[in-house]
Amino acid sequence: MNILSFYSGIYKLKTVHFIVLFAAVIQSCDPYRSPEIYNPTFVLEKSETYPLGWIVERGYETSFMKIADPVTGKYKLKIVASPVIPTILSQKIYLNDSGSYFIIGKFRLELDSGVFFVAATTPGASKEITFNASTETCKRTFFSMHIPDPAELTLRIGFKNNSGGIAYPDTLFVYKEDYFEGVAFDITRINKEIEALTGVSGFNQDNFDYNINLFAKSLNIAFLGKESEERAPLIDFFSSGQFDTERTFYLRSYLLDEFLQLNTSLPLDELLKLYRIPVRHLYWQKNCESYHRFIEYWNPFDKKWKIIDPYFGVRYINKEGKFMGFEEVELLANNGNFSISYIRKLNIETPFYNENQIMDGWKSQITVHIIKK
């Protein structure tokens, strides 16, 4: 289900232009980089030995080579693993603001043995993603880090001990996550109606995740369900004039167009944002093209990101039965440990549940986007 073709031919002309343009933007996967935390790419000037801002933290000088790109004529970096000591390039960045940050990058890897990694470290935290097979990534989010106070962050990229291979890094930078526009939607005037129609009742530690399930269930009934007494009032309410805003564009316009087989992640994003719940959009990708969208949201009580996929009607659980976010699931998949046992089918209406497609999806690359509302 390619995103661009998914929307093609469905909407009236004005709506089609908006959606297709938006889909093209999100597939580019190139977030704006704030000037105060800008990190150079790995393109080198003719006179440079190493890319601007990066230093050799470990390894031999001969492990870092400048090569010419035959297509662009620009010089790029080639990193060769050393069998004796780690080969690591690093860069220090001072983050002036607290908050959450994506670590975003792109590289090509020819790995013969050992481990290639990307890592980020602050005085209080450290995260990394590792690769134990040859790969070529799209420009994508590797992981997210929460920074409670202004701090110096160190980015590292390279090979660990006893590794053999070559890497061609393209990009590695830090991007501050931002989920909301400055002015909030006034939910107080309609929250009683929403709660009456969906069954949600006040967000607290005990019911937070269950409420998200109820929202997904209600939207699937409205968008994917058959005509019923339960469906009609949901359609009437969410397609009413009070949702005729930019912040609820998908929630209202999709219902007005009344077609089936819609991925309800976009309307669910909007509904959660009305309650000021941060949401990320996740996409499986092949050849850097997205073909399935789902979301994860922030649970402030558990202080954790959690996936919900309303299209397939699933969540993902760890061995303790706790809901997982994309970093946890991707780690399992990358290590070859993801199985059907980690899939939790929800009691929400969907005609699309397919375990084989889910298993295949987690063999793909994943990218992360934020729709700011």
Side-chain angles (χ1 to χ4, degrees), residues 32-96:
Y32 290 106
R33 288 177 267 186
S34 303
E36 67 273 17
I37 57 172
Y38 174 77
N39 317 133
T41 64
F42 293 95
V43 174
L44 295 123
E45 298 298 330
K46 189 173 183 179
S47 60
E48 293 174 342
T49 305
Y50 305 107
L52 183 65
W54 294 89
I55 64 169
V56 175
E57 182 176 307
R58 299 287 303 276
Y60 301 110
E61 288 188 4
T62 53
S63 293
F64 301 91
M65 305 176 186
K66 181 168 64 175
I67 59 172
D69 187 321
V71 178
T72 65
K74 294 181 178 180
Y75 291 93
K76 288 199 168 187
L77 189 67
K78 173 182 176 181
I79 304 176
V80 181
S82 165
V84 181
I85 61 173
T87 305
I88 302 171
L89 208 63
S90 68
Q91 177 186 125
K92 294 186 183 298
I93 309 149
Y94 191 79
L95 303 178
N96 295 310

Side-chain angles (χ1 to χ4, degrees), residues 218-258:
S218 298
L219 290 173
N220 276 20
I221 289 171
F223 286 88
L224 306 177
K226 298 177 181 178
E227 294 296 335
S228 65
E229 291 183 5
E230 193 176 12
R231 183 173 185 250
L234 288 167
I235 292 177
D236 290 343
F237 178 60
F238 287 126
S239 62
S240 64
Q242 58 195 335
F243 290 99
D244 189 12
T245 72
E246 289 184 6
R247 295 175 191 271
T248 52
F249 174 86
Y250 300 104
L251 186 62
R252 184 172 188 267
S253 64
Y254 286 4
L255 285 168
L256 290 175
D257 280 297
E258 293 187 357

Side-chain angles (χ1 to χ4, degrees), residues 243-369:
F243 290 99
D244 189 12
T245 72
E246 289 184 6
R247 295 175 191 271
T248 52
F249 174 86
Y250 300 104
L251 186 62
R252 184 172 188 267
S253 64
Y254 286 4
L255 285 168
L256 290 175
D257 280 297
E258 293 187 357
F259 59 88
L260 298 179
Q261 299 186 10
L262 176 75
N263 188 328
T264 51
S265 291
L266 281 165
L268 181 56
D269 167 276
E270 292 184 328
L271 191 53
L272 296 183
K273 292 269 180 63
L274 297 186
Y275 284 82
R276 307 303 279 180
I277 298 171
V279 178
R280 298 171 178 168
H281 287 254
L282 310 177
Y283 300 84
W284 290 331
Q285 288 190 324
K286 286 185 179 177
N287 301 319
C288 295
E289 289 194 5
S290 304
Y291 69 94
H292 177 63
R293 178 208 309 268
F294 50 110
I295 69 168
E296 65 176 3
Y297 62 90
W298 177 252
N299 182 315
F301 300 102
D302 294 340
K303 300 188 183 306
K304 185 177 180 181
W305 289 96
K306 302 183 181 184
I307 293 173
I308 184 168
D309 185 337
Y311 182 83
F312 287 121
V314 300
R315 287 181 178 271
Y316 300 98
I317 57 171
N318 60 22
K319 290 183 177 179
E320 290 72 44
K322 304 294 185 181
F323 295 142
M324 294 191 288
F326 91 88
E327 292 181 41
E328 297 169 275
V329 183
E330 187 176 37
L331 179 62
L332 288 168
N334 286 346
N335 291 334
N337 296 324
F338 184 72
S339 67
I340 290 173
S341 65
Y342 292 101
I343 303 171
R344 168 68 60 85
K345 191 174 186 301
L346 301 174
N347 183 27
I348 65 176
E349 184 164 351
T350 175
F352 304 116
Y353 177 75
N354 188 307
E355 288 179 350
N356 290 331
Q357 289 183 19
I358 293 170
M359 294 298 295
D360 287 341
W362 284 104
K363 296 174 184 176
S364 310
Q365 287 191 26
I366 194 167
T367 189
V368 186
H369 299 280

